[in-house]
PDB file of all heavy atoms in Angstrom:
ATOM      1  N   GLY A1009       6.956  -4.926   9.119  1.00 94.00           N
ATOM      2  CA  GLY A1009       6.460  -4.264  10.322  1.00 94.00           C
ATOM      3  C   GLY A1009       4.973  -4.458  10.502  1.00 94.00           C
ATOM      4  O   GLY A1009       4.429  -5.547  10.274  1.00 94.00           O
ATOM      5  N   ALA A1010       4.286  -3.394  10.896  1.00 96.00           N
ATOM      6  CA  ALA A1010       2.864  -3.482  11.248  1.00 96.00           C
ATOM      7  C   ALA A1010       1.984  -3.909  10.079  1.00 96.00           C
ATOM      8  O   ALA A1010       1.001  -4.642  10.262  1.00 96.00           O
ATOM      9  CB  ALA A1010       2.378  -2.139  11.794  1.00 96.00           C
ATOM     10  N   GLU A1011       2.318  -3.475   8.864  1.00 97.00           N
ATOM     11  CA  GLU A1011       1.516  -3.836   7.697  1.00 97.00           C
ATOM     12  C   GLU A1011       1.613  -5.334   7.417  1.00 97.00           C
ATOM     13  O   GLU A1011       0.610  -6.013   7.150  1.00 97.00           O
ATOM     14  CB  GLU A1011       1.967  -3.028   6.482  1.00 97.00           C
ATOM     15  CG  GLU A1011       1.698  -1.533   6.621  1.00 97.00           C
ATOM     16  CD  GLU A1011       2.494  -0.698   5.645  1.00 97.00           C
ATOM     17  OE1 GLU A1011       2.051  -0.550   4.483  1.00 97.00           O
ATOM     18  OE2 GLU A1011       3.565  -0.190   6.019  1.00 97.00           O
ATOM     19  N   TYR A1012       2.827  -5.855   7.471  1.00 98.00           N
ATOM     20  CA  TYR A1012       3.057  -7.288   7.279  1.00 98.00           C
ATOM     21  C   TYR A1012       2.293  -8.097   8.335  1.00 98.00           C
ATOM     22  O   TYR A1012       1.636  -9.099   8.022  1.00 98.00           O
ATOM     23  CB  TYR A1012       4.545  -7.581   7.352  1.00 98.00           C
ATOM     24  CG  TYR A1012       4.908  -9.048   7.330  1.00 98.00           C
ATOM     25  CD1 TYR A1012       4.886  -9.772   6.136  1.00 98.00           C
ATOM     26  CD2 TYR A1012       5.270  -9.699   8.501  1.00 98.00           C
ATOM     27  CE1 TYR A1012       5.218 -11.125   6.122  1.00 98.00           C
ATOM     28  CE2 TYR A1012       5.606 -11.048   8.487  1.00 98.00           C
ATOM     29  CZ  TYR A1012       5.579 -11.759   7.297  1.00 98.00           C
ATOM     30  OH  TYR A1012       5.912 -13.088   7.289  1.00 98.00           O
ATOM     31  N   LYS A1013       2.368  -7.664   9.578  1.00 97.00           N
ATOM     32  CA  LYS A1013       1.689  -8.374  10.658  1.00 97.00           C
ATOM     33  C   LYS A1013       0.174  -8.352  10.466  1.00 97.00           C
ATOM     34  O   LYS A1013      -0.511  -9.345  10.759  1.00 97.00           O
ATOM     35  CB  LYS A1013       2.060  -7.758  12.005  1.00 97.00           C
ATOM     36  CG  LYS A1013       3.513  -7.995  12.401  1.00 97.00           C
ATOM     37  CD  LYS A1013       3.851  -7.285  13.711  1.00 97.00           C
ATOM     38  CE  LYS A1013       5.322  -7.476  14.079  1.00 97.00           C
ATOM     39  NZ  LYS A1013       5.683  -6.729  15.309  1.00 97.00           N
ATOM     40  N   ALA A1014      -0.368  -7.237   9.968  1.00 98.00           N
ATOM     41  CA  ALA A1014      -1.818  -7.147   9.746  1.00 98.00           C
ATOM     42  C   ALA A1014      -2.269  -8.137   8.673  1.00 98.00           C
ATOM     43  O   ALA A1014      -3.299  -8.804   8.818  1.00 98.00           O
ATOM     44  CB  ALA A1014      -2.203  -5.720   9.340  1.00 98.00           C
ATOM     45  N   VAL A1015      -1.500  -8.250   7.592  1.00 97.00           N
ATOM     46  CA  VAL A1015      -1.840  -9.197   6.533  1.00 97.00           C
ATOM     47  C   VAL A1015      -1.751 -10.629   7.050  1.00 97.00           C
ATOM     48  O   VAL A1015      -2.617 -11.460   6.770  1.00 97.00           O
ATOM     49  CB  VAL A1015      -0.923  -8.992   5.307  1.00 97.00           C
ATOM     50  CG1 VAL A1015      -1.074 -10.141   4.308  1.00 97.00           C
ATOM     51  CG2 VAL A1015      -1.243  -7.664   4.621  1.00 97.00           C
ATOM     52  N   CYS A1016      -0.715 -10.929   7.826  1.00 97.00           N
ATOM     53  CA  CYS A1016      -0.573 -12.278   8.396  1.00 97.00           C
ATOM     54  C   CYS A1016      -1.732 -12.603   9.341  1.00 97.00           C
ATOM     55  O   CYS A1016      -2.233 -13.737   9.352  1.00 97.00           O
ATOM     56  CB  CYS A1016       0.761 -12.405   9.122  1.00 97.00           C
ATOM     57  SG  CYS A1016       2.195 -12.445   8.010  1.00 97.00           S
ATOM     58  N   ARG A1017      -2.158 -11.614  10.124  1.00 97.00           N
ATOM     59  CA  ARG A1017      -3.325 -11.841  10.996  1.00 97.00           C
ATOM     60  C   ARG A1017      -4.562 -12.136  10.159  1.00 97.00           C
ATOM     61  O   ARG A1017      -5.385 -12.979  10.521  1.00 97.00           O
ATOM     62  CB  ARG A1017      -3.574 -10.619  11.884  1.00 97.00           C
ATOM     63  CG  ARG A1017      -2.618 -10.476  13.050  1.00 97.00           C
ATOM     64  CD  ARG A1017      -3.148  -9.490  14.082  1.00 97.00           C
ATOM     65  NE  ARG A1017      -3.418  -8.174  13.526  1.00 97.00           N
ATOM     66  CZ  ARG A1017      -2.527  -7.193  13.448  1.00 97.00           C
ATOM     67  NH1 ARG A1017      -1.288  -7.381  13.888  1.00 97.00           N
ATOM     68  NH2 ARG A1017      -2.850  -6.019  12.937  1.00 97.00           N
ATOM     69  N   GLY A1018      -4.706 -11.431   9.042  1.00 95.00           N
ATOM     70  CA  GLY A1018      -5.858 -11.655   8.178  1.00 95.00           C
ATOM     71  C   GLY A1018      -5.887 -13.046   7.576  1.00 95.00           C
ATOM     72  O   GLY A1018      -6.959 -13.594   7.295  1.00 95.00           O
ATOM     73  N   LEU A1019      -4.712 -13.632   7.378  1.00 95.00           N
ATOM     74  CA  LEU A1019      -4.622 -14.960   6.783  1.00 95.00           C
ATOM     75  C   LEU A1019      -4.648 -16.077   7.821  1.00 95.00           C
ATOM     76  O   LEU A1019      -4.826 -17.246   7.467  1.00 95.00           O
ATOM     77  CB  LEU A1019      -3.338 -15.078   5.957  1.00 95.00           C
ATOM     78  CG  LEU A1019      -3.267 -14.225   4.690  1.00 95.00           C
ATOM     79  CD1 LEU A1019      -1.875 -14.307   4.084  1.00 95.00           C
ATOM     80  CD2 LEU A1019      -4.328 -14.633   3.677  1.00 95.00           C
ATOM     81  N   SER A1020      -4.456 -15.725   9.084  1.00 93.00           N
ATOM     82  CA  SER A1020      -4.396 -16.754  10.118  1.00 93.00           C
ATOM     83  C   SER A1020      -5.748 -17.446  10.265  1.00 93.00           C
ATOM     84  O   SER A1020      -6.799 -16.815  10.220  1.00 93.00           O
ATOM     85  CB  SER A1020      -3.978 -16.144  11.458  1.00 93.00           C
ATOM     86  OG  SER A1020      -4.957 -15.236  11.936  1.00 93.00           O
ATOM     87  N   GLY A1021      -5.707 -18.734  10.399  1.00 83.00           N
ATOM     88  CA  GLY A1021      -6.938 -19.501  10.578  1.00 83.00           C
ATOM     89  C   GLY A1021      -7.626 -19.900   9.293  1.00 83.00           C
ATOM     90  O   GLY A1021      -8.601 -20.648   9.308  1.00 83.00           O
ATOM     91  N   ILE A1022      -7.120 -19.406   8.149  1.00 87.00           N
ATOM     92  CA  ILE A1022      -7.722 -19.770   6.870  1.00 87.00           C
ATOM     93  C   ILE A1022      -7.233 -21.157   6.465  1.00 87.00           C
ATOM     94  O   ILE A1022      -6.024 -21.419   6.428  1.00 87.00           O
ATOM     95  CB  ILE A1022      -7.375 -18.732   5.778  1.00 87.00           C
ATOM     96  CG1 ILE A1022      -8.054 -17.396   6.111  1.00 87.00           C
ATOM     97  CG2 ILE A1022      -7.817 -19.217   4.397  1.00 87.00           C
ATOM     98  CD1 ILE A1022      -7.733 -16.284   5.149  1.00 87.00           C
ATOM     99  N   THR A1023      -8.151 -22.047   6.159  1.00 81.00           N
ATOM    100  CA  THR A1023      -7.782 -23.420   5.826  1.00 81.00           C
ATOM    101  C   THR A1023      -7.556 -23.608   4.332  1.00 81.00           C
ATOM    102  O   THR A1023      -6.916 -24.568   3.915  1.00 81.00           O
ATOM    103  CB  THR A1023      -8.875 -24.387   6.298  1.00 81.00           C
ATOM    104  OG1 THR A1023     -10.130 -23.990   5.727  1.00 81.00           O
ATOM    105  CG2 THR A1023      -8.990 -24.372   7.811  1.00 81.00           C
ATOM    106  N   ALA A1024      -8.082 -22.693   3.532  1.00 79.00           N
ATOM    107  CA  ALA A1024      -7.888 -22.793   2.090  1.00 79.00           C
ATOM    108  C   ALA A1024      -6.435 -22.468   1.741  1.00 79.00           C
ATOM    109  O   ALA A1024      -5.681 -21.952   2.563  1.00 79.00           O
ATOM    110  CB  ALA A1024      -8.835 -21.839   1.369  1.00 79.00           C
ATOM    111  N   SER A1025      -6.073 -22.778   0.511  1.00 82.00           N
ATOM    112  CA  SER A1025      -4.721 -22.476   0.046  1.00 82.00           C
ATOM    113  C   SER A1025      -4.506 -20.966   0.038  1.00 82.00           C
ATOM    114  O   SER A1025      -5.352 -20.206  -0.458  1.00 82.00           O
ATOM    115  CB  SER A1025      -4.528 -23.029  -1.366  1.00 82.00           C
ATOM    116  OG  SER A1025      -3.269 -22.669  -1.866  1.00 82.00           O
ATOM    117  N   ILE A1026      -3.404 -20.531   0.619  1.00 87.00           N
ATOM    118  CA  ILE A1026      -3.126 -19.100   0.677  1.00 87.00           C
ATOM    119  C   ILE A1026      -1.781 -18.813   0.023  1.00 87.00           C
ATOM    120  O   ILE A1026      -0.904 -19.677  -0.037  1.00 87.00           O
ATOM    121  CB  ILE A1026      -3.130 -18.564   2.132  1.00 87.00           C
ATOM    122  CG1 ILE A1026      -2.063 -19.280   2.965  1.00 87.00           C
ATOM    123  CG2 ILE A1026      -4.507 -18.707   2.744  1.00 87.00           C
ATOM    124  CD1 ILE A1026      -1.918 -18.707   4.364  1.00 87.00           C
ATOM    125  N   PRO A1027      -1.601 -17.586  -0.494  1.00 90.00           N
ATOM    126  CA  PRO A1027      -0.336 -17.250  -1.142  1.00 90.00           C
ATOM    127  C   PRO A1027       0.787 -17.063  -0.138  1.00 90.00           C
ATOM    128  O   PRO A1027       0.558 -16.915   1.068  1.00 90.00           O
ATOM    129  CB  PRO A1027      -0.658 -15.930  -1.853  1.00 90.00           C
ATOM    130  CG  PRO A1027      -1.821 -15.363  -1.136  1.00 90.00           C
ATOM    131  CD  PRO A1027      -2.583 -16.506  -0.559  1.00 90.00           C
ATOM    132  N   LYS A1028       2.000 -17.075  -0.648  1.00 91.00           N
ATOM    133  CA  LYS A1028       3.166 -16.773   0.166  1.00 91.00           C
ATOM    134  C   LYS A1028       3.159 -15.284   0.492  1.00 91.00           C
ATOM    135  O   LYS A1028       2.894 -14.455  -0.371  1.00 91.00           O
ATOM    136  CB  LYS A1028       4.434 -17.142  -0.603  1.00 91.00           C
ATOM    137  CG  LYS A1028       5.724 -16.863   0.148  1.00 91.00           C
ATOM    138  CD  LYS A1028       6.928 -17.270  -0.700  1.00 91.00           C
ATOM    139  CE  LYS A1028       8.228 -17.008   0.036  1.00 91.00           C
ATOM    140  NZ  LYS A1028       9.404 -17.383  -0.811  1.00 91.00           N
ATOM    141  N   VAL A1029       3.434 -14.938   1.749  1.00 95.00           N
ATOM    142  CA  VAL A1029       3.475 -13.531   2.158  1.00 95.00           C
ATOM    143  C   VAL A1029       4.932 -13.149   2.413  1.00 95.00           C
ATOM    144  O   VAL A1029       5.625 -13.806   3.195  1.00 95.00           O
ATOM    145  CB  VAL A1029       2.637 -13.288   3.431  1.00 95.00           C
ATOM    146  CG1 VAL A1029       2.610 -11.797   3.760  1.00 95.00           C
ATOM    147  CG2 VAL A1029       1.220 -13.810   3.250  1.00 95.00           C
ATOM    148  N   VAL A1030       5.370 -12.103   1.737  1.00 94.00           N
ATOM    149  CA  VAL A1030       6.762 -11.671   1.827  1.00 94.00           C
ATOM    150  C   VAL A1030       6.822 -10.249   2.363  1.00 94.00           C
ATOM    151  O   VAL A1030       6.163  -9.346   1.823  1.00 94.00           O
ATOM    152  CB  VAL A1030       7.451 -11.739   0.451  1.00 94.00           C
ATOM    153  CG1 VAL A1030       8.896 -11.262   0.545  1.00 94.00           C
ATOM    154  CG2 VAL A1030       7.394 -13.155  -0.107  1.00 94.00           C
ATOM    155  N   ALA A1031       7.605 -10.041   3.419  1.00 95.00           N
ATOM    156  CA  ALA A1031       7.805  -8.704   3.981  1.00 95.00           C
ATOM    157  C   ALA A1031       8.883  -7.989   3.180  1.00 95.00           C
ATOM    158  O   ALA A1031       9.992  -8.500   3.014  1.00 95.00           O
ATOM    159  CB  ALA A1031       8.211  -8.800   5.445  1.00 95.00           C
ATOM    160  N   ILE A1032       8.561  -6.811   2.652  1.00 95.00           N
ATOM    161  CA  ILE A1032       9.511  -6.066   1.825  1.00 95.00           C
ATOM    162  C   ILE A1032      10.001  -4.820   2.569  1.00 95.00           C
ATOM    163  O   ILE A1032       9.327  -4.311   3.463  1.00 95.00           O
ATOM    164  CB  ILE A1032       8.883  -5.655   0.476  1.00 95.00           C
ATOM    165  CG1 ILE A1032       7.618  -4.794   0.686  1.00 95.00           C
ATOM    166  CG2 ILE A1032       8.563  -6.896  -0.357  1.00 95.00           C
ATOM    167  CD1 ILE A1032       7.024  -4.247  -0.602  1.00 95.00           C
TER     168      ILE A1032
END
Side-chain angles (χ1 to χ4, degrees):
E1011 294 163 83
Y1012 173 77
K1013 291 177 182 177
V1015 169
C1016 289
R1017 284 196 303 271
L1019 292 173
S1020 65
I1022 293 177
T1023 56
S1025 176
I1026 60 174
K1028 180 180 180 181
V1029 185
V1030 179
I1032 58 175

